[in-house]
Amino acid sequence: MNDVLRQPISEIKGVGEKFQEQLQDLGLYTIEDLLFYFPFRYDSYETKPLTELAQDEKATMEGQVVSEPVLSFFGKKKSRLTFTLQVEQFAVKAVMFNRAFAKKQLNPGDTVTVTGKWDQRRLQITVSQFKKGEAKSQEPIQPVYTLKEGVTLQRLRKIIKSAIDEYGEEITELLPEDVQRTYKLPERPKALKQMHYPESRVLLKHAKRRFIYEEFLLFQLKMQLLRKHHRESTSGNAQSYDNNRLTKFVQTLPFELTGAQKRSLAEILKDMKQPHRMNRLLQGDVGSGKTAVAAIALYASITAGKQGALMVPTEILAEQHYQSLYKMFEGRANVALLTGSIKGKRRKEILDAVAQDEVDILIGTHALIQDEVLFNDLGFVIVDEQHRFGVKQRRTLRDKGLHPDVLFMTATPIPRTLAITAFGDMDVSVIDEMPAGRKPVETYWVKGEMTNRVLSFIQKEVDAGHQAYVICPLIEESDKLDIQNAVDLYHQLASVFEPDVPVGLMHGRLHNDEKEEVMQQFARNETKVLVSTTVVEVGVNVPNATVMVIYDAERFGLSQLHQLRGRVGRGDDQAYCILLADPKGDVGKERMRIMTETTDGFELSEQDLKLRGPGDFFGRKQSGMPEFKVGDMVHDYRALETARKDAAEMIMDDLLESDERYRALKEAVYADQSLTGNVLD
Ligand code: ADP
Ligand code: MG
């Protein structure tokens, strides 16, 4: 790295105090920041044949003025100038607003080049810029930067241009020569100029390719080094579990583990035995048997004399996990439940028991990370539906033990594309196989007008002894409306079904004990139809429910639809998912189509990613997805994959440490502050 480039922006001619502050608002402090502030798009003044232009495209065209410009005034100070321009064999109508002065400059017979918004249907261009003369003499591709109030595009362009002219040559190469040669990447200083002022589309493409690779490679190196560091560090517990007891325990389970479960379990147990701290993500579709694997791992930890904790996002889920683990561990381990609604004397008893090592496994919600919760010796931590917790919350729980092993679980299958970046510093186990005998949920997409037939289908299934979920429309950003909707739909369905078929209602505003009661009634088969908002999304198990109806399904993302669908199909009977939807756009239709065609969560998540882009994928920022400046994880997936492989090889061969040619790269890896490292940790 270069000290010259580390100088403040004020070193550049023409940057005064005020401008410096404005640039700082854009996150630009040093000359280097400015040089690497890349355009988010380019205005191209290259001309194209008219027939190749799209409706509303910003276009540049050269033509001859063939009519005397007509000027008209409207409003207070507004004007419109119109004239006809002969472009190729077409007569194009040019319209220019509020530039009355141009009338004098434009005369029939003149050649002009105009830029503006193209209306293909009316052969009309709304001109934003014009110059006399041929198109060739114009500067072809102009950078467009993200701006903040007070900074104009012209001003920013100018200052970046002078930064390039003055300091562009100070930029040093990061990539070793052979890497550059392998991928035919342009040199760094040259590529940087092309990023701002490309001489052609082709040169721009190569410059971008270079910086995308560089960005991904730095990221991958950093992540993989962190992971390696993790592995080699001995600040963890080597948990020496009792293999005999563990095997006996597994034999008491009412089923044989699937191959994928066995494989994941072996990976987890291997981590536990190592002296380093486990940092592993267990991924698997709803119902693939993650909880079973987690329970076995928890038991292993107990046989090693440690305590374990399982944190889940909702009380209902905590309760359900508690019930099933309590049964599973009966006579083998003490399991306790801690949630917000456990209060007073009972709470104190539990806390005391946890502190005195009388509780082996504590299951709960956010309640687990309160200060009052003290473990005697917490050795194993599991966080279920990890993306529902913030980074801080996950860390707080972890810090309740002395380097406990940590297992994250998620039923949101994460596309491979994202997993290798988002979890670059985590180990990942995947359960990609369902327990034998599960029948895939049959999924249908029907239009809103068919609602009555859907209701008779529910009646039919209920007559056969089964139960149904009905999920209400989701109204974005409004809890209140969501609940109103649920209440309305509940009354509507109750009037159809009751009294023969009892209907229940579930939504987020109910008190916890009310929710509990509603859920229990459904689980006990006392209510047959459960109208609900998406609060049932996570985890609760009612195997007798065979129908999942989702109203306005087009409003949900694929992953969420898939989660909801996962509530049914947990028993032996054939289950159905019915998507009521009238999607307007292509994306919505595509989503419905995909849902009806696959029940494979990983495939769905890949498709979801394509339709929505990585930013939206988890629906919230705290997911810790890295943000790239130049590269795009989805679009540039191949480059990401290449960078990942290259980084792995460089680390394996220890090139950063031992090869002089990798020195600049090494320095960049260690200097880069923008890479936050442990994204999920
Ligand atoms: P997840 O946590 O991935 O949603 P669970 O562990 O809760 O899945 O398992 C879902 C259901 O399948 C539970 O009723 C569980 O007892 C059962 N189950 C788990 N593993 C197996 C298996 N290998 N064979 C049969 N049933 C299984
Ligand atoms: Mg689960």
Side-chain angles (χ1 to χ4, degrees):
M1 288 281 146
N2 190 318
D3 286 341
V4 177
L5 300 179
R6 288 278 166 79
Q7 295 180 95
I9 284 178
S10 52
E11 289 298 310
I12 302 170
K13 282 182 216 103
V15 179
E17 213 170 296
K18 175 127 184 280
F19 193 27
Q20 184 178 12
E21 271 170 31
Q22 289 169 331
L23 291 172
Q24 285 174 355
D25 280 348
L26 282 165
L28 306 173
Y29 294 85
T30 64
I31 293 169
E32 186 173 25
D33 292 340
L34 201 56
L35 290 174
F36 285 88
Y37 193 64
F38 292 141
F40 72 92
R41 81 177 157 82
Y42 300 84
D43 272 350
S44 168
Y45 299 121
E46 292 165 306
T47 56
K48 280 200 244 174
L50 286 196
T51 48
E52 283 176 22
L53 292 176
Q55 179 68 22
D56 295 333
E57 181 176 339
K58 187 166 183 190
T60 295
M61 55 191 66
E62 176 194 312
Q64 213 173 31
V65 180
V66 291
S67 75
E68 188 69 48
V70 177
L71 182 63
S72 54
F73 289 90
F74 62 101
K76 262 192 184 149
K77 285 180 190 154
K78 295 178 184 153
S79 72
R80 181 197 298 118
L81 189 66
T82 48
F83 55 96
T84 307
L85 204 55
Q86 180 76 35
V87 182
E88 301 161 30
Q89 73 274 35
F90 302 102
V92 169
K93 185 174 175 194
V95 185
M96 228 189 283
F97 289 100
N98 306 324
R99 263 180 284 180
F101 64 87
K103 180 169 162 60
K104 282 201 204 98
Q105 300 173 4
L106 296 165
N107 297 302
D110 286 351
T111 296
V112 292
T113 300
V114 295
T115 297
K117 192 165 154 184
W118 175 239
D119 186 336
Q120 180 75 23
R121 287 188 289 264
R122 297 197 290 183
L123 285 187
Q124 178 173 315
I125 184 164
T126 306
V127 178
S128 54
Q129 256 173 296
F130 81 97
K131 277 189 184 167
K132 293 187 76 168
E134 291 172 10
K136 275 190 220 69
S137 60
Q138 322 283 328
E139 200 157 5
I141 306 176
Q142 292 277 353
V144 182
Y145 304 97
T146 307
L147 301 169
K148 275 246 170 84
E149 234 180 80
V151 183
T152 65
L153 181 58
Q154 299 314 327
R155 190 134 190 239
L156 194 59
R157 275 182 184 164
K158 203 169 144 204
I159 210 72
I160 291 178
K161 186 85 169 49
S162 42
I164 295 171
D165 291 344
E166 238 179 293
Y167 299 98
E169 295 304 321
E170 300 285 341
I171 292 166
T172 48
E173 186 53 67
L174 288 184
L175 300 175
E177 239 179 81
D178 55 334
V179 174
Q180 272 184 73
R181 217 177 306 119
T182 308
Y183 301 118
K184 298 197 173 63
L185 301 173
E187 288 160 39
R188 206 157 182 253
K190 280 190 188 148
L192 186 105
K193 269 184 213 162
Q194 295 297 331
M195 285 298 283
H196 293 283
Y197 288 95
E199 285 166 56
S200 73
R201 288 274 161 194
V202 176
L203 288 175
L204 174 60
K205 195 177 98 189
H206 290 303
K208 265 197 187 155
R209 208 164 52 79
R210 189 224 137 83
F211 285 110
I212 289 169
Y213 177 78
E214 178 182 311
E215 183 172 44
F216 285 162
L217 182 69
L218 283 171
F219 177 79
Q220 286 293 339
L221 281 169
K222 174 113 178 183
M223 295 300 259
Q224 293 185 32
L225 281 169
L226 269 171
R227 194 156 132 198
K228 183 173 175 231
H229 178 75
H230 228 119
R231 283 232 181 84
E232 289 170 358
S233 94
T234 47
S235 60
N237 300 298
Q239 301 208 40
S240 47
Y241 56 84
D242 184 332
N243 220 349
N244 266 336
R245 279 171 72 194
L246 194 61
T247 312
K248 282 203 191 109
F249 172 64
V250 173
Q251 282 163 357
T252 65
L253 297 177
F255 46 73
E256 170 94 4
L257 294 179
T258 63
Q261 279 174 315
K262 284 183 187 157
R263 199 178 54 234
S264 301
L265 183 63
E267 286 163 358
I268 293 165
L269 291 175
K270 191 171 162 218
D271 275 358
M272 289 172 73
K273 260 192 282 190
Q274 306 290 330
H276 68 248
R277 193 167 63 69
M278 172 167 81
N279 194 37
R280 184 172 284 278
L281 179 73
L282 180 61
Q283 279 197 63
D285 235 328
V286 188
S288 61
K290 293 182 297 298
T291 311
V293 170
I296 299 168
L298 276 169
Y299 190 68
S301 185
I302 293 167
T303 68
K306 302 279 181 184
Q307 289 173 293
L310 169 60
M311 183 162 73
V312 301
T314 65
E315 295 216 357
I316 299 178
L317 199 52
E319 176 77 28
Q320 194 158 47
H321 276 307
Y322 171 70
Q323 299 292 353
S324 63
L325 292 198
Y326 183 86
K327 248 188 263 156
M328 249 169 140
F329 289 128
E330 207 156 15
R332 294 173 190 274
N334 286 328
V335 183
L337 175 71
L338 188 70
T339 62
S341 46
I342 295 171
K343 297 200 170 82
K345 190 159 158 266
R346 177 89 195 100
R347 186 177 192 88
K348 185 154 186 325
E349 279 169 13
I350 294 171
L351 291 173
D352 285 347
V354 170
Q356 280 153 28
D357 209 11
E358 284 156 22
V359 166
D360 301 308
I361 298 172
L362 185 62
I363 297 171
T365 53
H366 297 81
L368 297 196
I369 56 178
Q370 306 303 315
D371 287 341
E372 53 177 356
V373 183
L374 296 171
F375 289 85
N376 179 59
D377 186 4
L378 179 63
F380 195 76
V381 166
I382 301 181
V383 181
D384 194 12
E385 301 301 333
Q386 51 86 14
H387 60 283
R388 288 179 174 252
F389 294 99
V391 174
K392 263 211 194 107
Q393 295 173 319
R394 298 188 293 235
R395 190 172 296 151
T396 307
L397 181 57
R398 192 189 79 196
D399 288 345
K400 290 194 177 283
L402 187 67
H403 311 302
D405 286 324
V406 182
L407 182 68
F408 298 104
M409 300 202 291
T410 180
T412 309
I414 293 150
R416 230 173 79 76
T417 6
L418 292 192
I420 59 169
T421 36
F423 310 122
D425 67 332
M426 281 186 139
D427 298 298
V428 181
S429 294
V430 180
I431 305 185
D432 50 4
E433 180 186 350
M434 283 289 178
R438 290 272 170 80
K439 300 185 185 83
V441 178
E442 277 180 29
T443 304
Y444 300 97
W445 165 27
V446 301
K447 300 276 169 68
E449 66 214 36
M450 309 254 291
T451 308
N452 282 338
R453 286 180 56 185
V454 173
L455 298 185
S456 9
F457 181 72
I458 293 178
Q459 181 74 55
K460 209 178 99 205
E461 280 293 303
V462 170
D463 289 344
H466 297 140
Q467 290 165 279
Y469 292 97
V470 178
I471 305 298
C472 333
L474 172 90
I475 293 172
E476 257 151 89
E477 328 256 320
S478 170
D479 251 8
K480 232 185 184 161
L481 286 179
D482 258 358
I483 286 156
Q484 191 50 48
N485 251 319
V487 173
D488 289 349
L489 187 61
Y490 164 75
H491 285 306
Q492 201 186 322
L493 294 193
S495 74
V496 174
F497 289 118
E498 285 188 334
D500 300 345
V501 177
V503 181
L505 170 65
M506 172 77 130
H507 60 68
R509 280 288 170 80
L510 296 179
H511 278 292
N512 286 325
D513 39 356
E514 290 172 314
K515 272 190 214 159
E516 176 72 8
E517 184 52 26
V518 172
M519 209 56 232
Q520 291 300 345
Q521 282 171 352
F522 191 62
R524 287 194 301 258
N525 199 4
E526 290 164 14
T527 43
K528 303 285 180 180
V529 175
L530 182 61
V531 176
S532 177
T533 55
T534 55
V535 292
V536 295
E537 185 188 330
V538 209
V540 185
N541 211 353
V542 182
N544 190 48
T546 53
V547 185
M548 168 61 67
V549 176
I550 304 172
Y551 272 70
D552 285 359
E554 75 270 21
R555 302 214 189 165
F556 299 90
L558 275 177
S559 294
Q560 202 173 16
L561 290 173
H562 182 62
Q563 290 290 316
L564 288 167
R565 179 167 61 184
R567 297 294 98 223
V568 297
R570 309 189 132 230
D572 298 330
D573 300 298
Q574 179 62 53
Y576 307 89
C577 175
I578 297 166
L579 308 167
L580 272 165
D582 302 287
K584 302 264 166 344
D586 290 341
V587 172
K589 286 182 189 143
E590 184 65 6
R591 268 195 207 143
M592 296 306 115
R593 195 187 59 72
I594 294 166
M595 278 298 291
T596 57
E597 282 176 9
T598 179
T599 52
D600 176 340
F602 282 95
E603 154 117 38
L604 268 159
S605 71
E606 291 284 354
Q607 302 279 1
D608 202 16
L609 181 62
K610 273 192 206 130
L611 292 178
R612 292 204 289 175
D616 283 347
F617 188 74
F618 291 103
R620 49 172 89 181
K621 260 225 144 31
Q622 67 178 23
S623 63
M625 295 304 288
E627 280 177 47
F628 293 108
K629 266 162 68 179
V630 209
D632 174 299
M633 283 192 281
V634 180
H635 186 258
D636 307 312
Y637 167 56
R638 300 248 304 262
L640 185 58
E641 190 56 50
T642 306
R644 187 178 67 86
K645 282 205 199 99
D646 290 353
E649 269 173 38
M650 288 173 194
I651 289 172
M652 186 139 75
D653 298 343
D654 211 22
L655 293 176
L656 296 191
E657 302 302 328
S658 65
D659 191 327
E660 191 53 29
R661 290 171 299 178
Y662 284 76
R663 199 160 113 189
L665 189 58
K666 176 185 167 180
E667 281 170 9
V669 170
Y670 287 99
D672 193 340
Q673 300 295 319
S674 70
L675 299 174
T676 47
N678 275 359
V679 288
L680 273 181
D681 190 19

